[in-house]
Amino acid sequence: MLSVLIWLPIIAAIIIGFYPAKDVPASQIRLVSLIVTGVVLLWNISILLKFDISNPGMQFTEYLPWNETLGLNYQLGVDGLSILMLILNSFLTWIAIYSSGKDTERPRLFYSLILFISGGVAGAFLSENLLLFFLFYELELIPFYLLISIWGGEKRAYAGMKFLIYTAISGALILATFLGMVWLTGSRSFAFDAVVTQNISAGMQLVLLAGIVLGFGIKIPLIPFHTWLPDAYVEASTPIAILLGGILAKLGTYGLLRFGLGMFPHAWQIIAPTLAIWGAISAIYGAVVAIAQKDIKRMVAYSSIGHMGYILLAAAAATPLALVGAVAQMFSHGIILAILFHLVGVIETKVGTRELDKLNGLMSPIRGLPLISALLVLSGMASAGIPGLTGFIAEFISFQGSFSTFPIPTILCVVASGLTAVYFVILLNRTCFGKLQNNLAYYPRVLWNEKVPALILAFLIIFLGVQPVWLVRWSETTTTAMVAAVPTTAKTVIALK
Amino acid sequence: MDFANFASQLNAGTILPEGIVMITLLGVLIVDLILGRTSARWIGYLATLGLTAAIIALYFQWDSTNPIAFTGSFNGDDLSIVFRGIIALSAMSTILMSIRYVEQSGTPLAEFIAILMTATLGGMFLSGANELVMIFISLEALSISSYLLTGYTKRDPRSNEAALKYLLIGASSTAVFLYGVSLLYGLSGGQTELSAIAQGIATANVGQSLGLVIALVFVIAGIGFKISAAPFHQWTPDVYEGAPTPVIAFLSVGSKAAGFALAIRLLTTVFPMVADEWRFVFTALAVLSMVLGNVVALAQTSMKRMLAYSSIAQAGFVMIGLIAGTDAGYSSMIFYLLVYLFMNLCGFTCVVLFSLRTGTDQISEYSGLYQKDPLLTLGLSVSLLSLGGIPPLAGFFGKIYLFWAGWQAGLYWLVLLGLITSVVSIYYYIRVVKMMVVKEPQEMSDVVKNYPQVRWDLPGLRPLQVGLIVTLIATTISGILSNPLFTLANNSVTNTPMLQAAKVVSTQVSVITNNESQEL
């Protein structure tokens, strides 16, 4: 059942890539990819509907022996930590394909790489085997490199290579840590449940955990490993930026939660204060640097760094509430970033610039882009944590959950959240408000299909903002079970009661 | 000695695969003498057929109960069968890619194939050689044919220079090897058979003496030359650049596999007393090869030179398995060499194809190739990415197994260095992919702009295409469907009495040395 999520996109990617007919128009390939990802999305939703939220363990598990010598088996499963990420993956892939232009150059390679990535990411979220996870994790490397450096902006070659090297280093670190984990536990298999880290000495646990944090920290990204992000996000085209920010970054936080907190609960307690401060610094840094940007895409990119800081803080706190908040924040950051990148992409194609100094008065109802501007205001507010929208719910739960454990980093994150509002107000003020310049303002009309993805995402943002149960109910039991494994926090929770 | 007993000791059936290769070799030569150049149309297929028959014969020798042949000078155990198979396969695909290449360079094909098959013969005998004289003779058969192949396009000054360099370095390193071998003969009290030497050394009680260490170092100098481990690698870049490309394909896989076969057999059987020492030396060689190979490859502009440094680096990766010295270590080596065969031959086939069509192999000239020749682009991209260890290609699984075996044996720093240098290697492999795939049509190089119409019906191109597609498919799926290959590699190690015995001996040695140290 879960295999469909991996193999349907990959098989479709192979068929699209190698289909012998020549000169198939881009729109047809786009349509086929849309249908495929639509089916995957529906399949994913049907899994979500059958998902038993009272079960903290893995569900719908699948097992196939593959390579006994390496301890690599095809083991899949889904739990509360990964179910939302799966939905996010198939949903954003659909959005990304929808928001790609109908006349993409080299369409077959483009859509086949996107579908390939979609299958690979699903595989990584579903894996129940460390080596299988790593395989799917590394699978993203080359397709993303190609997607950035073929269809990107002006400095795409540089951005693509930088992304490639950072991600490859991250992969090497993660592989080394995985090998260490499995070898030190004396396990013959890389399966999640076979790796019990309790027997490892405390010092070694810390070393391994450091490997996990650094490896996934590059992908999340945490400062100072974030320098690939602004280049990659800004140079990538809109659909690719949506995938990069919406899904790939989540692989990092997911890995941190699953392998860091999930597998090293004892060592996690030791480094949690450092991580909390690190998260707070990331959040403030992201916000402050975003304030200084003159390019709206760059602003959005740095906002992503800031929002990832909240997740790190919540993960470090490791209270039941904070972890629910972290998962919710991962999901809502995914959809908010997607809508922001989509809108920025629309503005760039219509107006022809992303510079804050040149954009003006897009709110103007007749000659401007009123609907796009309105949605931009909405998504900016969602990102800044205004109540009634999903961003607020996620941030609030995270902060609420973290405050009892790490009050000062939480307050710093709240300050960063305020700074987020600052740069989004700057952004909205310079782009949406003001007066249009008469001699320049002859923008093309915004087509219906350019509005659709943003409208869907905006609906989702508002819906989850007023009905947050649908955001948090999936992960509650799993995260509670994870917290129960962390020794000292459990005690403090009891003491507080 | 009565004849029946002698025949059973001779056990000549063991070298049936080599016999087939030899007959084919003679057949190729004689047919060429009788028919002249007209035979060039089908003589390549004859040789391919012969090699296929040899591989089938190898298959039937698997798990033979009586592998020792020629009164102990040849050992047809499973380990040797795997290596002989690798060498025969690499010769086979070399022939497939050389039919057109050699024809186009205006040199006779039959002579080329004859020399290539002599090298194959040498390599195959080297894989099973169990005796010093036999090792040396087969090593020389391999080396001398390789010199001839390197200088085969004799009107090309670069080829001449490469052959001269290879000859001078090769002959001197063989001389060093020979000196080490003669020391072994002396130290062991006149034994030439490998296991007898080990016993002789043990009884003569010269274990861990200076003489044995010198012999070890000299032997490693010879082996290091064949597997082009830094610092014995200096010939590699120049020879790879000058020699005809199919020859390079053979040298990088067949000759290297023969070197590794020799390394495993010689080091584990003869030197269990100084196992720590040779592990240490090989660790140094592996570190140097991985660092130097991968870092210097970054700065190359010629495709063949880049692949030369890449092959130095890949030898460094393979040495991790040798240093680990466990069952998993040896079988990870064998598995990696198997997949290395697919990826390297696929890559070289594409390089040959490109230089056949355009006459150059500069990396910058590949830019924009995807539009004109998608199959070549796909083949070269897949093989290079696989060499870089990108999932789900064969090279990824090969590297994972090597690193896993290394980690299990406690070689943490070596594995970490391997991981770091693989990241470096991704950079220069992807640079070529970038040239071919990422560049816009307007950034096409002049060579690609004038790219000839892709045609497969010219003589000799069809086998090239078959070789390309087969190796491409093998590179793509032999990682995912790796279980048979894994089983093959594992069985060849566990079924080899020599390696299992070597483990016992080395534990005995460690017990003895422990006892000695306790007595002291």
Side-chain angles (χ1 to χ4, degrees):
Chain A
M1 189 153 184
L2 298 177
S3 289
V4 176
L5 299 180
I6 304 175
W7 296 110
L8 189 63
I10 289 185
I11 290 169
I14 291 171
I15 292 173
I16 290 176
F18 292 98
Y19 190 69
K22 278 195 171 177
D23 297 328
V24 188
S27 54
Q28 266 182 35
I29 299 171
R30 178 170 170 270
L31 190 66
V32 171
S33 328
L34 269 182
I35 292 169
V36 170
T37 40
V39 170
V40 175
L41 181 60
L42 289 178
W43 190 268
N44 219 331
I45 290 172
S46 80
I47 288 177
L48 186 75
L49 293 178
K50 287 184 206 150
F51 185 77
D52 174 16
I53 52 170
S54 60
N55 178 357
M58 291 285 179
Q59 303 181 29
F60 309 108
T61 48
E62 284 177 28
Y63 178 87
L64 268 180
W66 186 3
N67 196 323
E68 300 288 347
T69 324
L70 284 178
L72 166 66
N73 290 311
Y74 181 75
Q75 276 174 290
L76 305 181
V78 62
D79 66 358
L81 207 55
S82 47
I83 181 90
L84 275 186
M85 297 301 107
L86 282 174
I87 291 278
L88 185 70
N89 172 35
S90 45
F91 178 56
L92 288 191
T93 312
W94 192 85
I95 294 279
I97 292 177
Y98 199 100
S99 66
S100 63
K102 280 196 173 149
D103 48 351
T104 315
E105 276 175 54
R106 298 166 72 183
R108 286 167 58 164
L109 188 61
F110 184 76
Y111 291 109
S112 112
L113 289 176
I114 288 186
L115 287 171
F116 196 72
I117 285 175
S118 173
V121 172
F125 285 131
L126 286 170
S127 299
E128 264 196 87
N129 184 300
L130 292 173
L131 213 49
L132 191 67
F133 173 86
F134 177 76
L135 199 157
F136 281 120
Y137 184 82
E138 286 281 273
L139 213 56
E140 267 62 88
L141 188 64
I142 299 300
F144 260 120
Y145 165 75
L146 292 176
L147 284 173
I148 296 173
S149 29
I150 297 179
W151 293 274
E154 224 166 81
K155 278 168 63 191
R156 57 178 181 269
Y158 171 76
M161 199 47 100
K162 203 166 169 182
F163 167 81
L164 181 81
I165 291 170
Y166 271 80
T167 317
I169 292 172
S170 144
L173 273 168
I174 290 168
L175 180 62
T177 318
F178 283 177
L179 289 176
M181 277 161 70
V182 173
W183 176 238
L184 288 174
T185 49
S187 164
R188 282 295 305 155
S189 156
F190 280 85
F192 282 1
D193 42 12
V195 182
V196 183
T197 53
Q198 268 72 359
N199 322 332
I200 307 177
S201 69
M204 213 53 219
Q205 280 199 34
L206 274 180
V207 172
L208 293 173
L209 185 56
I212 296 259
V213 170
L214 292 183
F216 287 110
I218 294 173
K219 200 84 160 195
I220 292 177
L222 303 174
I223 53 164
F225 312 118
H226 66 283
T227 50
W228 64 271
L229 182 139
D231 293 309
Y233 282 22
V234 172
E235 294 306 323
S237 61
T238 306
I240 308 312
I242 291 175
L243 291 177
L244 264 178
I247 305 170
L248 203 67
K250 304 306 171 296
L251 262 184
T253 47
Y254 170 81
L256 199 64
L257 283 174
R258 170 80 77 205
F259 306 112
L261 177 60
M263 297 200 166
F264 297 97
H266 295 266
W268 186 265
Q269 270 321 99
I270 303 170
I271 63 160
T274 323
L275 290 182
I277 293 166
W278 198 348
I281 293 173
S282 272
I284 298 228
Y285 173 87
V288 170
V289 178
I291 291 177
Q293 298 306 314
K294 295 282 171 226
D295 176 324
I296 48 178
K297 210 167 177 182
R298 231 164 227 284
M299 260 185 172
V300 176
Y302 277 104
S303 90
S304 174
I305 298 180
H307 284 88
M308 287 300 178
Y310 306 156
I311 300 176
L312 189 67
L313 169 77
T319 58
L321 202 56
L323 286 189
V324 170
V327 176
Q329 173 72 4
M330 275 151 77
F331 188 82
S332 63
H333 171 256
I335 53 178
I336 294 172
L337 198 69
I339 191 172
L340 281 169
F341 273 135
H342 178 77
L343 295 173
V344 168
V346 171
I347 291 177
E348 189 187 358
T349 44
K350 301 298 166 193
V351 182
T353 179
R354 293 193 313 247
E355 304 274 323
L356 274 185
D357 299 338
K358 292 183 185 152
L359 290 164
N360 227 342
L362 294 182
M363 204 65 145
S364 153
I366 297 157
R367 291 174 59 201
L369 311 168
L371 182 69
I372 296 297
S373 315
L375 288 170
L376 189 65
V377 172
L378 176 91
S379 44
M381 278 158 56
S383 185
I386 303 293
L389 303 168
T390 169
F392 169 76
I393 303 296
E395 286 177 23
F396 185 75
I397 302 175
S398 311
F399 295 156
Q400 168 95 355
S402 323
F403 188 74
S404 56
T405 326
F406 300 116
I408 294 174
T410 310
I411 291 172
L412 286 176
C413 278
V414 175
V415 171
S417 174
L419 292 174
T420 311
V422 171
Y423 65 78
F424 271 113
V425 167
I426 295 176
L427 190 155
L428 298 174
N429 194 13
R430 299 273 184 83
T431 51
C432 302
F433 306 125
K435 261 180 78 176
L436 277 178
Q437 273 181 301
N438 271 334
N439 50 343
L440 295 175
Y442 294 99
Y443 305 140
R445 290 177 60 85
V446 180
L447 303 174
W448 182 236
N449 68 20
E450 288 167 327
K451 295 174 194 165
V452 169
L455 286 173
I456 299 173
L457 285 163
F459 168 76
L460 206 61
I461 288 172
I462 297 171
F463 174 74
L464 291 176
V466 293
Q467 198 53 264
V469 182
W470 290 91
L471 184 61
V472 296
R473 63 194 294 239
W474 313 107
S475 60
E476 269 177 315
T477 42
T478 307
T479 46
T480 315
M482 278 177 85
V483 172
V486 182
T488 39
T489 326
K491 271 178 218 150
T492 45
V493 169
I494 294 161
L496 282 173
K497 277 179 185 167
Chain B
M1 197 191 290
D2 62 311
F3 183 74
N5 190 19
F6 182 69
S8 78
Q9 282 198 346
L10 206 59
N11 194 9
T14 316
I15 59 158
L16 179 69
E18 284 79 1
I20 296 174
V21 174
M22 209 178 315
I23 291 166
T24 324
L25 159 67
L26 292 174
V28 166
L29 270 184
I30 292 166
V31 165
D32 183 52
L33 279 179
I34 296 172
L35 294 181
R37 291 295 281 269
T38 48
S39 66
R41 274 182 183 280
W42 49 271
I43 206 150
Y45 305 106
L46 177 70
T48 319
L49 201 69
L51 284 167
T52 318
I55 291 167
I56 293 169
L58 276 174
Y59 173 78
F60 284 110
Q61 301 216 329
W62 184 258
D63 267 350
S64 120
T65 45
N66 182 19
I68 307 288
F70 292 96
T71 61
S73 55
F74 188 84
N75 192 343
D77 52 12
D78 287 356
L79 186 76
S80 81
I81 290 179
V82 169
F83 276 105
R84 284 145 85 194
I86 293 178
I87 294 163
L89 273 176
S90 76
M92 196 156 88
S93 36
T94 307
I95 289 174
L96 290 182
M97 63 175 100
S98 61
I99 294 176
R100 178 80 190 165
Y101 191 95
V102 174
E103 281 288 285
Q104 197 154 321
S105 68
T107 38
L109 181 65
E111 275 172 42
F112 180 86
I113 290 178
I115 304 172
L116 181 72
M117 290 186 79
T118 316
T120 314
L121 213 52
M124 286 171 82
F125 274 125
L126 188 60
S127 310
N130 204 21
E131 200 248 345
L132 293 182
V133 178
M134 177 81 185
I135 287 178
F136 185 72
I137 289 175
S138 37
L139 187 65
E140 279 294 79
L142 174 60
S143 304
I144 292 175
S145 338
S146 306
Y147 310 145
L148 292 174
L149 287 174
T150 309
Y152 195 70
T153 46
K154 56 184 178 239
R155 291 202 174 74
D156 181 357
R158 286 191 312 166
S159 174
N160 285 331
E161 189 195 328
L164 185 64
K165 240 174 206 163
Y166 196 24
L167 173 68
L168 291 179
I169 301 176
S172 36
S173 87
T174 338
V176 174
F177 181 77
L178 187 59
Y179 190 49
V181 164
S182 69
L183 276 179
L184 284 178
Y185 177 71
L187 284 170
S188 63
Q191 300 293 342
T192 57
E193 200 189 315
L194 296 188
S195 48
I197 294 174
Q199 275 172 9
I201 290 171
T203 47
N205 212 9
V206 287
Q208 297 180 318
S209 71
L210 185 64
L212 193 61
V213 171
I214 292 176
L216 172 71
V217 172
F218 283 2
V219 164
I220 288 180
I223 294 172
F225 167 77
K226 269 275 158 271
I227 60 177
S228 57
F232 308 108
H233 70 281
Q234 275 101 343
W235 60 276
T236 321
D238 295 331
V239 170
Y240 276 42
E241 199 177 14
T245 319
V247 175
I248 305 311
F250 179 75
L251 287 184
S252 73
V253 182
S255 172
K256 192 165 275 189
F260 275 112
L262 172 65
I264 296 182
R265 198 168 289 277
L266 197 58
L267 294 173
T268 52
T269 342
V270 177
F271 296 104
M273 300 293 239
V274 284
D276 289 341
E277 282 77 1
W278 68 254
R279 296 234 157 85
F280 176 74
V281 175
F282 268 97
T283 311
L285 296 189
V287 169
L288 281 174
S289 307
M290 285 193 280
V291 172
L292 185 134
N294 281 314
V295 173
V296 180
L298 292 175
Q300 300 307 315
T301 53
S302 145
M303 192 69 196
K304 282 159 80 176
R305 248 187 130 75
M306 189 204 86
L307 285 172
Y309 282 103
S310 133
S311 90
I312 295 170
Q314 302 283 343
F317 292 131
V318 179
M319 274 185 263
I320 294 179
L322 184 65
I323 300 159
T326 53
D327 279 356
Y330 294 126
S331 58
S332 70
M333 272 176 83
I334 291 169
F335 181 75
Y336 198 81
L337 282 171
L338 275 167
V339 295
Y340 184 65
L341 171 100
F342 302 137
M343 352 191 239
N344 236 24
L345 290 174
C346 181
F348 273 113
T349 310
C350 296
V351 175
V352 168
L353 196 54
F354 186 76
S355 72
L356 280 178
R357 289 192 174 140
T358 63
T360 166
D361 46 40
Q362 290 294 311
I363 292 176
S364 55
E365 302 287 2
Y366 280 79
S367 82
L369 190 64
Y370 76 93
Q371 284 203 315
K372 301 283 178 130
D373 199 340
L375 178 67
L376 204 165
T377 310
L378 181 74
L380 194 51
S381 306
V382 165
S383 62
L384 289 179
L385 292 177
S386 177
L387 281 168
I390 304 286
L393 303 171
F396 171 77
F397 287 85
K399 267 189 192 163
I400 288 274
Y401 194 22
L402 273 176
F403 292 156
W404 178 224
W407 200 280
Q408 278 182 319
L411 309 169
Y412 307 118
W413 295 110
L414 209 55
V415 172
L416 281 180
L417 186 73
L419 281 169
I420 295 166
T421 48
S422 329
V423 173
V424 178
S425 79
I426 291 175
Y427 180 83
Y428 62 81
Y429 290 128
I430 202 95
R431 213 159 53 106
V432 182
V433 179
K434 182 172 139 190
M435 279 292 166
M436 294 188 298
V437 182
V438 176
K439 293 281 179 184
E440 309 282 330
Q442 62 269 21
E443 292 170 304
M444 237 182 235
S445 66
D446 291 339
V447 171
V448 174
K449 265 181 204 145
N450 306 323
Y451 202 73
Q453 185 72 37
V454 175
R455 285 177 62 188
W456 295 108
D457 49 357
L458 296 171
L461 275 184
R462 197 57 82 178
L464 196 69
Q465 187 193 23
V466 170
L468 171 60
I469 289 173
V470 169
T471 47
L472 174 63
I473 291 173
T475 310
T476 317
I477 64 166
S478 69
I480 298 165
L481 305 176
S482 51
N483 256 341
L485 287 184
F486 264 97
T487 324
L488 178 75
N490 288 339
N491 285 350
S492 71
V493 172
T494 45
N495 292 354
T496 302
M498 176 198 88
L499 289 179
Q500 304 305 322
K503 266 198 307 198
V504 177
V505 172
S506 64
T507 44
Q508 278 171 351
V509 169
S510 63
V511 168
I512 293 168
T513 42
N514 282 342
N515 289 347
E516 277 171 2
S517 58
Q518 277 167 5
E519 281 164 21
L520 289 171

